[in-house]
Amino acid sequence: MLTKTSNDHNQTSPRFILHIDLDAFFASVEEVNHPELKGKPIVVGADPKQGKGRGVISTCNYEARKFGLRSAMPISHAWKLCPQATYLAVNMPLYEEVSKRIINILKPFADKLEQVSIDEAFLDISHKVADLKEATTFAKKIKSIILDRESLTCSIGIGPNKLVAKIASDYRKPNGLIIISKDDAKKFLAPLNVEKLGGIGSKTKERLNSIGIKTINDLASYDIKKLKDIFGAWGEEFHRMAYGIDESEIIEEWIPKSFSREYTFDQDTSNYDELKFMVDKLCEEVTLEAIENGFSFRTITVKIRYENFETHTHSKTLPFPTSSIETLKNTSMILLGPFLRSDRKIRLLGIRASNLNEKAHQKTLEG
């Protein structure tokens, strides 16, 4: 559920949407914090434990990427590829503080600002600039101020909408700047792989590839009726995106859809006491976050991943919203029950609270 906190931009006026993406953010912040690491490979994520660690890379700097490392890579594999890297634990309080400072830098530059994640944001600058030349100068000033104040680089894409701006910001990383006019949007997108379009994941990519669509130009040229027959309403949306059409607005305030926590065990386990301890811990963290943000919840989901990476989820929707830790704990253990097998060990455990109610009257359900 989303809430807009300002009026929509007049669609008859030219739109200038800027997307900013901080380069290798976590690792770059660590490099600023530890100048002695500058120019060396840095990996932020799970403890590699000399190649025996569990978990994945959260992010790594561009020096580490030269060795083939990337986000979401198993940390044990990263160690094999680059044992000489500096491996650091995620320091979220530090990254959040730097992110807040950067958002405060960006706010005066925007008619409207949408923070997409800790290191990404969209800015509607339609009333701040008159043409692409001014937009270029505008973006260079933003990059200069962030570099001067925070010693961080960023990549910026500017386009007629969010779709084109985001793809443009990723086009020439790191420290890139790409400006795409409305007239050039389709031409810019045409040679790119079809999965560059938002909403096209690995499974949809496979289906598109199977019918001969590999590039965005292939998608734009494909018969729209056939696309709708295969993908339903999404087929028409994919076709519009391939032409660089996106009318989505800048959303200045996001209301969260869920709160969740996951934990990867150091060693796969089927031990009931160990699993219950972690369920309790995750439930406490999820409930605390929900309460701090003024929400109760109705739907509870447990996620497990077995040692062979087979993954399952099990959910239950309560009759009333709640923010009771005990309710979340008890319900989670009931949902976990069918997955507890002595012959199968669990690698990962997750708890999610969703179907949120903001500042709702909360009833506590026992049992």
Side-chain angles (χ1 to χ4, degrees), residues 227-239:
L227 286 173
K228 290 172 71 175
D229 289 342
I230 299 170
F231 297 100
W234 272 107
E236 184 173 2
E237 182 63 20
F238 291 155
H239 197 261

Side-chain angles (χ1 to χ4, degrees), residues 52 54-55 263-271 274-275 305-309 342 344-349:
K52 298 179 181 179
R54 309 292 288 268
Y263 180 78
T264 300
F265 293 96
D266 287 337
Q267 294 184 336
D268 303 331
T269 183
S270 59
N271 182 277
E274 188 175 1
L275 290 166
R305 180 169 295 146
Y306 287 119
E307 55 193 326
N308 66 347
F309 288 87
S342 59
R344 301 202 70 177
K345 292 184 177 181
I346 291 175
R347 172 187 178 88
L348 176 145
L349 178 65

Side-chain angles (χ1 to χ4, degrees), residues 279-280 283-284 287 297-302 316-335 351 353 362-367:
V279 166
D280 288 349
C283 286
E284 289 169 3
T287 306
F297 48 86
R298 285 189 62 201
T299 301
I300 297 168
T301 303
V302 168
K316 180 179 180 179
T317 297
L318 306 173
F320 300 105
T322 184
S323 58
S324 163
I325 291 178
E326 290 307 312
T327 297
L328 184 57
K329 288 181 179 179
N330 293 338
T331 305
S332 296
M333 285 305 299
I334 292 171
L335 293 172
I351 304 293
Q362 300 169 7
K363 295 189 178 182
T364 300
L365 306 177
E366 299 301 334

Side-chain angles (χ1 to χ4, degrees), residues 36-69:
E36 71 277 8
L37 298 179
K38 189 172 180 62
K40 299 178 181 179
I42 301 172
V43 177
V44 178
D47 184 348
K49 297 182 179 178
Q50 303 293 311
K52 298 179 181 179
R54 309 292 288 268
V56 299
I57 293 176
S58 178
T59 192
C60 57
N61 67 355
Y62 289 92
E63 288 299 320
R65 295 180 195 190
K66 293 177 182 178
F67 293 87
L69 275 60

Side-chain angles (χ1 to χ4, degrees), residues 282-302:
L282 296 177
C283 286
E284 289 169 3
E285 292 179 3
V286 167
T287 306
L288 179 60
E289 185 177 12
I291 292 172
E292 286 179 344
N293 284 275
F295 287 93
S296 57
F297 48 86
R298 285 189 62 201
T299 301
I300 297 168
T301 303
V302 168

Side-chain angles (χ1 to χ4, degrees), residues 84-131:
Q84 70 270 34
T86 298
Y87 289 83
L88 301 171
V90 174
N91 186 352
M92 195 57 70
L94 173 62
Y95 311 147
E96 288 176 345
E97 179 57 35
V98 176
S99 176
K100 287 177 183 177
R101 294 202 301 264
I102 292 174
I103 292 298
N104 286 333
I105 291 172
L106 295 175
K107 283 179 179 178
F109 286 92
D111 300 322
K112 293 191 290 184
L113 184 148
E114 175 182 339
Q115 183 172 2
V116 183
S117 66
I118 195 169
D119 59 355
E120 287 184 71
F122 286 105
L123 284 69
D124 188 334
I125 60 172
S126 303
H127 294 303
K128 302 287 187 181
V129 299
D131 52 36

